[in-house]
């Protein structure tokens, strides 16, 4: 499966919330999100499921609104990458690693790592691809 990269660099294609998921998978994710501290309670399946970045989604760093305003899909496509917003997102993501280790199984950690902890790697790769594409356009 080709990665589906969110505005902030998360890999939606492996995210435990990204739809379609079974009811049991969503329930397990809601329980894990509560244990890790992402939620203050175990939320319903409707609350935990995600269909991707939209302006209706809450975004702690306002990255969805920023990418929408710039008419780009993700921060890797931005000429200002990496800005302070995305740098702060990287910092906030990293601060949850100890909680992942405490509450996740090895398999769950592997999913969390691929889905969320590699956001900078994903965006760096996309930013480089954008730069290469621009160079090719300039040379044509």
């Amino acid at each position: 499966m080709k990665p589906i990269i969110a505005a902030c660099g998360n890999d939606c294609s492996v995210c435990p919330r990204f739809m379609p998921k079974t009811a049991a998978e969503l329930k397990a994710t809601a329980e894990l999100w509560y244990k890790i501290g992402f939620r203050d309670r175990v939320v319903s399946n409707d609350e935990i499921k995600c269909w991707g970045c939209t302006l209706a989604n809450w975004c702690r760093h306002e990255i969805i609104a920023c990418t929408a305003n710039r008419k780009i899909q993700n921060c890797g496509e931005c000429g200002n990458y990496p800005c302070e917003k995305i740098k702060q997102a990287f910092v906030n993501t990293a601060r949850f690693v100890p909680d992942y280790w405490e509450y996740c199984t090895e398999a769950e950690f592997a999913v969390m790592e691929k889905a969320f902890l590699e956001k900078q790697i994903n965006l760096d790769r996309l930013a480089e691809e954008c730069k290469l594409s621009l160079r090719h356009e300039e040379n044509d």
Side-chain angles (χ1 to χ4, degrees):
M1 172 187 263
K2 185 179 183 217
I4 302 166
I5 304 302
C8 66
N10 288 344
D11 186 343
C12 299
S13 56
V14 294
C15 177
R17 298 179 54 218
F18 193 68
M19 295 302 292
K21 297 285 190 254
T22 66
E25 289 171 320
L26 289 171
K27 184 176 183 336
T29 298
E31 290 169 353
L32 181 61
W33 258 228
Y34 171 69
K35 286 191 288 189
I36 291 172
F38 289 170
R39 300 289 191 275
D40 62 356
R41 62 186 168 75
V42 176
V43 299
S44 71
N45 284 357
D46 282 339
E47 288 180 81
I48 201 73
K49 68 183 170 184
C50 178
W51 293 96
C53 295
T54 68
L55 288 173
N57 293 3
W58 176 76
C59 180
R60 171 181 326 233
H61 301 286
E62 301 176 358
I63 292 171
I64 296 170
C66 185
T67 56
N69 288 338
R70 294 172 183 269
K71 295 179 177 30
I72 57 176
Q73 296 296 308
N74 59 62
C75 294
E77 297 175 2
C78 183
N80 294 327
Y81 175 78
C83 70
E84 289 307 311
K85 283 182 186 183
I86 195 63
K87 287 178 186 177
Q88 189 59 50
F90 297 154
V91 169
N92 282 345
T93 298
R95 79 180 169 87
F96 284 102
V97 171
D99 296 321
Y100 292 161
W101 280 118
E102 183 174 346
Y103 297 108
C104 294
T105 64
E106 256 185 66
E108 288 169 334
F109 182 84
V111 169
M112 301 298 272
E113 182 176 43
K114 183 74 175 149
F116 306 114
L117 299 178
E118 295 180 359
K119 64 174 42 128
Q120 185 171 2
I121 293 167
N122 294 333
L123 292 175
D124 287 350
R125 179 181 44 80
L126 291 168
E128 187 58 35
E129 288 173 10
C130 285
K131 287 177 190 172
L132 289 173
S133 179
L134 285 173
R135 283 187 214 133
H136 287 285
E137 288 175 14
E138 290 171 356
N139 291 331
D140 287 342

